Amino acid sequence: MELAIISLMVIGLEPLKQTVKRLEAIYRVNSAIQIQSKLKLVSCIAFSLFFLSYLSIEYYFDECTALYVSADEVALFESVVVAVSVVGFLLYALFSKYPFSSRVLLCVGICAVVSLVGVTFSAVFGQSLIGVLLFGVATFLFLGVLGGAAHYLLARLFALSSNLARVVGLFYALGVGLQFLLHAFTLSALLQTGIFCVIVLVLSCMLFKANQPNGCLYFRISNSSSTGENDKIIENAYAKEVSRVISDSDSVLRKKALKLIFATVLLTAVYATLNVLLTAHHAAGDFDLGAGGRLFLIGGAVAAGFLFDSKARSNMNLYMVCIAILSGFALFATVFEAPLWLIAIVFYLGSGSFVVFFSVRFIELSCEMKTQALWAGMGRVVNNGAGLVLAPIVLSFVSYNNALFVVAFSLAILVGIVLLLREDYQKPPIYEEQEEASIKCSLSDVCSSEQSFLRLEERIDLFSRAWKLTERECEVLQILVSSDAAVQDIAKQLYLSRTALYRHIASINEKTETNSRMGIVQFFYSWEPSELKSELKQGKNNSNT
């Protein structure tokens, strides 16, 4: 009798244990999604703080150098520090893959503060142009590193989001707006330096925290030793990197990257020429740019963010071409002495849209490239680098002052932009809302009792038979669903070239009607074996009998 009671109690506890496990798994996933949401907010604020610090310190550097040199030399020195910030972006890509990168970012922030203090003391107390230049170069080098980290963080959290353009537009506009408010007040050099130092330290601390092993880039939900299927789903769902979109070969990716780089260079030429023309009229006293231009820049960035995100960004290139043509007409208008205020409005609205365009396109492209940290901030690198190289060309072009030449130059650039951007990119394959829903669905399926008898090897075997995968595709699938290794590491493990691995993944995508590596993983764990599962279960029962 006692044995029967104990047996009944054990049988009654089994459903309770299953329910507790199911609720625990769901709680862990919901907690992970909440943490991801907080980290997304951190990435947006860091992105905005970078532009606030970069633009504010650039303006402050110009003020310090203007104490010793002419206006033309100030522009020259500014172009030098902008080029140095490009080096900083590239340097970040070199060490971003190492575990100590978070500590490096904190040290870089401290070094940037020290360099900025050096600029102030050289300008105010030491009265040394050499000191201002040397400390200024160091400051922008460190700012470039922080900028690379901010772009990379945003790319890893929003690259596959349906709201990417809106996020970039809104938080870029926020940075520009805060810089506009900051310079609306007349502050002493020491007070400005103190504010800039606080901003840079906050930015570096946020990036340091996000790069910690328990932060965004190396995030793991569970530290337990459990090797259950639920843990594997969670770890794969929030892997160390955003899964690269395996849809194009290396040659196609190179072609896409080169077209985007050249298009960014040509667009930079348009807005650099307009900037030089308006600055020349402003210096001659024909027109007062004032601070109102910043407001139109902010409006252009926000409007472009919402416009570009429409229809899953499938018409983004077309919108940018239209904006570029409008800016080209503004160049024509300078020849025919159109109102300068109208040209200025077109310039600032177009510039804001252009920043959102190249930032979004390069962040999207970074998911497909081998070095995501490099390509996430490549838009800023190309824009700043092209601005430096094109500066003397644009100055000579403006000084030539020939109406026919201006028209021919503008038409040639616009034709090049149209040819490079005439093909719209395909819309991003995964959006964050679909991803979170799929994760929850996968957990619900795996936690259910009717799938608990399937081991991972059995699930892979059933899945491969159901979707008619080849033996090699089955090997690829096994690594994809049990590891978050980078694509190049998987290729080495299977003794394949990256191109061959792409073909196998693309074939699995085609057979399972998914469109990315993450899609394969999510579909694999949410897939219902149904008939084949029943056959396997029946086979087990027969063998036991």
Side-chain angles (χ1 to χ4, degrees), residues 287-358:
F287 176 67
D288 184 14
L289 289 175
R294 292 286 182 186
L295 299 178
F296 287 105
L297 183 65
I298 293 169
V302 173
F306 284 89
L307 179 65
F308 290 162
D309 265 341
S310 61
K311 297 184 179 179
R313 295 195 289 278
S314 58
N315 294 327
M316 185 172 171
N317 285 13
L318 175 62
Y319 295 145
M320 192 63 233
V321 167
C322 294
I323 294 170
I325 291 174
L326 183 62
S327 302
F329 286 149
L331 275 177
F332 299 156
T334 59
V335 176
F336 301 103
E337 299 182 353
L340 292 174
W341 61 267
L342 182 59
I343 297 173
I345 290 175
V346 173
F347 164 70
Y348 282 112
L349 290 175
S351 296
S353 303
F354 174 45
V355 171
V356 176
F357 173 79
F358 70 69

Side-chain angles (χ1 to χ4, degrees), residues 453-471:
F453 68 89
L454 284 177
R455 296 195 307 272
L456 180 62
E457 295 80 6
E458 293 173 341
R459 175 176 281 273
I460 291 174
D461 180 59
L462 291 175
F463 189 90
S464 302
R465 287 159 54 192
W467 298 101
K468 297 181 174 60
L469 302 185
T470 65
E471 182 178 352

Side-chain angles (χ1 to χ4, degrees), residues 151 154-156 158-165 168 242-245 253 256 260 308-309 312-314 316-317 356-369 372 375-377 424-431:
H151 281 75
L154 193 79
R156 301 187 80 152
F158 285 97
L160 301 177
S161 168
S162 59
N163 301 318
L164 175 60
V168 171
V242 174
S243 294
R244 290 175 55 202
V245 181
L253 286 178
K256 184 189 294 186
L260 183 56
F308 290 162
D309 265 341
R313 295 195 289 278
S314 58
M316 185 172 171
N317 285 13
V356 176
F357 173 79
F358 70 69
S359 298
V360 170
R361 277 307 187 212
F362 276 102
I363 286 175
E364 285 180 340
L365 183 64
S366 69
C367 291
E368 306 177 63
M369 308 304 286
Q372 189 181 8
W375 287 93
D424 271 323
Y425 286 28
Q426 295 178 350
K427 67 179 182 179
I430 304 177
Y431 287 133

Side-chain angles (χ1 to χ4, degrees), residues 61-280:
F61 176 80
D62 290 345
E63 287 183 332
C64 291
T65 53
L67 298 173
Y68 305 100
V69 298
S70 64
D72 292 338
E73 291 175 310
V74 168
L76 175 62
F77 292 141
E78 180 184 328
S79 63
V80 170
V81 297
V82 165
V84 171
S85 70
V86 168
V87 176
F89 270 86
L90 299 177
L91 283 176
Y92 173 72
L94 295 179
F95 67 82
S96 61
K97 59 184 178 181
Y98 297 107
F100 58 79
S101 62
S102 59
R103 295 190 293 273
V104 173
L105 290 173
L106 191 60
C107 294
V108 165
I110 295 172
C111 292
V113 168
V114 173
S115 301
L116 185 56
V117 171
V119 171
T120 300
F121 274 84
S122 298
V124 178
F125 300 105
Q127 297 184 351
S128 170
L129 176 61
I130 299 298
V132 171
L133 295 178
L134 291 178
F135 283 115
V137 166
T139 301
F140 278 89
L141 176 65
F142 298 134
L143 282 178
V145 174
L146 296 177
H151 281 75
Y152 187 33
L153 177 59
L154 193 79
R156 301 187 80 152
L157 289 166
F158 285 97
L160 301 177
S161 168
S162 59
N163 301 318
L164 175 60
R166 273 173 280 186
V167 168
V168 171
L170 286 171
F171 285 92
Y172 170 75
L174 178 61
V176 175
L178 291 174
Q179 189 256 348
F180 170 74
L181 292 176
L182 185 61
H183 287 93
F185 303 97
T186 304
L187 304 175
S188 65
L190 291 177
L191 185 56
Q192 288 186 71
T193 303
I195 295 173
F196 299 155
C197 288
V198 170
I199 294 171
V200 172
L201 283 176
V202 171
L203 172 61
S204 60
C205 288
M206 293 175 73
L207 295 173
F208 166 75
K209 184 64 177 177
N211 280 271
Q212 287 293 291
N214 60 344
C216 164
L217 305 187
Y218 300 98
F219 180 66
R220 288 291 181 270
I221 297 173
S222 175
N223 292 325
S224 65
S225 58
S226 171
T227 57
E229 201 166 85
N230 294 338
D231 293 333
K232 291 175 182 175
I233 293 176
I234 296 171
E235 290 178 3
N236 278 286
Y238 292 103
K240 193 162 59 177
E241 290 189 26
V242 174
S243 294
R244 290 175 55 202
V245 181
I246 313 299
S247 57
D248 296 327
S249 64
D250 285 349
S251 60
V252 174
L253 286 178
R254 282 195 295 269
K255 182 180 178 182
K256 184 189 294 186
L258 287 174
K259 287 174 66 175
L260 183 56
I261 288 172
F262 285 125
T264 304
V265 170
L266 293 180
L267 286 165
T268 301
V270 172
Y271 293 106
T273 305
L274 280 173
N275 182 47
V276 170
L277 286 169
L278 290 173
T279 303

